[in-house]
Amino acid sequence: SYFRITATDWFGGRGHDFDCMDEKANASGGMLVIATSVPDAREWTQWKGRTARQDRPGQFIVVLSEEEEPFVSEPQLADALRRLSPDEILNELLRRKDETIAATLSDFEAQQARGTWQNELCERYFSANPRMSEDSWPAECCRVADMKLRDLLSVPFSAGYKIKEVASERLGINLVGPPANWGWTDQQLFNIEPPRPPMAVIFLIDRTFEQFLQQVVDAVLKVYDKYLEPDDLIGYYGLGDEWIFPLQEKGKND
């Protein structure tokens, strides 16, 4: 008995011909593809296609470890799959992989949409505030505005309309957003960051100390934009003024 083994990564699963010319091997079932993971359905078709080529016989087997994904994240999955037939097991794993890829593509689309808003913001900002490539940053000529831009780019805004509003309010820049044929409106949520439970926040501000009042207000606005969601409860209390506005949902008066 004898055999020849070729070990490869995903690169070998597509566009390569592995010819099995040995008559004894073909009489025993032909070239055997041993897969140690399950890709998406389209890629799996390519993997199987490495064997049984040119009218020769072929075979495949899938060997998976319970100490790797997806079994690590779902400890009960292996036992559930054992109750299925081999074809049903493979189909279920392929379905799960396709769902994962769909979620990844959706997230990538959202990242592109938000990135387009941010890119437009930067292009319009530096067109309005030009400087030489060797100039320091933030530039002396527009230090305050440069710092505002930096702060805006660090905020994970939940939708395009938020970027649009804040760019207009803080920097006086009017944004258009992605092309209409993208199918991504400014009201559509990106849903990039995982949701968190609602929380209640009360800002307590000493408005009598005017020397630092503007810096305090800017800091409050940064927290308001970056960390607070529409269903969070927000209150603003000024020492000496009592409630500027009482506790309420942010979304009601955003």
Side-chain angles (χ1 to χ4, degrees):
S1 62
Y2 65 95
F3 51 86
R4 178 175 296 172
I5 297 175
T6 299
T8 184
D9 57 11
W10 282 44
F11 180 71
R14 178 185 286 267
H16 290 75
D17 285 331
F18 300 94
D19 289 330
C20 182
M21 310 293 290
D22 188 274
E23 294 184 2
K24 185 177 179 180
N26 287 324
S28 300
M31 175 180 165
L32 172 65
V33 171
I34 303 175
T36 57
S37 63
V38 177
D40 61 273
R42 184 177 180 182
E43 196 70 23
W44 176 245
T45 301
Q46 293 292 325
W47 288 15
K48 289 192 302 180
R50 295 315 94 204
T51 188
R53 301 180 70 83
Q54 299 178 358
D55 296 326
R56 297 190 182 94
Q59 51 195 329
F60 70 86
I61 187 173
V62 180
V63 181
L64 303 177
S65 171
E66 292 184 32
E67 297 180 357
E68 297 180 358
E69 294 295 350
F71 305 106
V72 174
S73 300
E74 300 182 60
Q76 307 302 320
L77 178 58
D79 288 337
L81 292 178
R82 289 190 180 98
R83 294 192 287 269
L84 304 178
S85 68
D87 285 342
E88 290 174 330
I89 293 174
L90 184 56
N91 288 336
E92 174 62 17
L93 291 174
L94 289 172
R95 182 190 67 80
R96 287 167 170 265
K97 196 69 174 182
D98 286 345
E99 286 182 350
T100 302
I101 290 176
T104 300
L105 291 175
S106 178
D107 181 72
F108 177 70
E109 184 183 30
Q111 294 277 8
Q112 278 193 312
R114 186 160 71 183
T116 300
W117 284 98
Q118 293 173 325
N119 183 69
E120 183 187 358
L121 171 61
C122 290
E123 286 188 350
R124 292 182 182 274
Y125 176 81
F126 286 109
S127 293
N129 300 277
R131 72 282 310 275
M132 303 299 291
S133 59
E134 61 269 16
D135 289 348
S136 60
W137 198 96
E140 292 298 327
C141 62
C142 39
R143 181 180 182 83
V144 174
D146 279 4
M147 299 297 283
K148 287 183 178 180
L149 174 67
R150 182 198 64 183
D151 291 342
L152 292 185
L153 293 175
S154 68
V155 175
F157 289 107
S158 59
Y161 80 91
K162 288 296 299 179
I163 303 176
K164 188 175 182 178
E165 288 178 357
V166 175
S168 177
E169 293 171 0
R170 308 281 173 82
L171 294 172
I173 295 176
N174 296 319
L175 301 179
V176 177
N181 59 7
W182 279 31
W184 199 283
T185 68
D186 59 357
Q187 297 293 323
Q188 189 171 349
L189 297 178
F190 298 128
N191 291 322
I192 297 173
E193 287 74 28
R196 58 159 177 75
M199 63 181 181
V201 177
I202 297 177
F203 295 103
L204 181 61
I205 308 297
D206 184 358
R207 297 172 62 87
T208 64
F209 200 53
E210 296 183 358
Q211 183 177 356
F212 296 102
L213 182 57
Q214 188 57 52
Q215 290 90 328
V216 172
V217 172
D218 288 343
V220 168
L221 288 173
K222 182 177 180 180
V223 173
Y224 186 88
D225 288 331
K226 185 171 184 178
Y227 298 107
L228 303 181
E229 299 296 334
D231 55 352
D232 289 331
L233 297 177
I234 313 296
Y236 191 0
Y237 192 91
L239 295 180
D241 299 319
E242 298 187 350
W243 287 105
I244 307 301
F245 59 81
L247 206 60
Q248 57 188 279
E249 284 190 1
K250 175 186 176 184
K252 290 184 177 180
N253 293 284
D254 197 20

